[in-house]
Amino acid sequence: MTTHLPITPGWTCGGCGADWPCQTRRRELRAEYDSAPVSLALYLAAQLVDAAQDLTHVPAGHLHHRFLGWTR
């Protein structure tokens, strides 16, 4: 079980304090969803929607890059 889960409403990592998803969680998610990249994108899109409600001061483009931009 990972300790790198999001702490809301700031969307920081509970394991390392970085913006979530942190580098460690990104590696874990890539491994977990290795054979299901569309499922990973859907999961992260749902997280992005939740984060956008909490992080109204963060530009949408930044959130998109943070949550989905690294999945390519």
Side-chain angles (χ1 to χ4, degrees):
M1 183 79 176
T2 187
T3 60
H4 295 271
L5 298 173
I7 303 297
T8 58
W11 288 85
T12 56
C13 176
C16 65
D19 286 345
W20 192 91
C22 65
Q23 291 299 322
T24 299
R25 188 61 181 141
R26 290 177 183 189
R27 281 192 303 274
E28 292 172 349
L29 287 167
R30 278 189 187 110
E32 289 174 36
Y33 288 88
D34 182 48
S35 61
V38 173
S39 294
L40 173 59
L42 290 171
Y43 168 72
L44 289 170
Q47 298 302 306
L48 175 122
V49 169
D50 289 344
Q53 293 174 0
D54 291 332
L55 303 174
T56 57
H57 61 284
V58 179
H62 177 76
L63 289 176
H64 180 272
H65 178 73
R66 177 174 160 182
F67 283 82
L68 293 167
W70 60 274
T71 60
R72 297 179 186 170

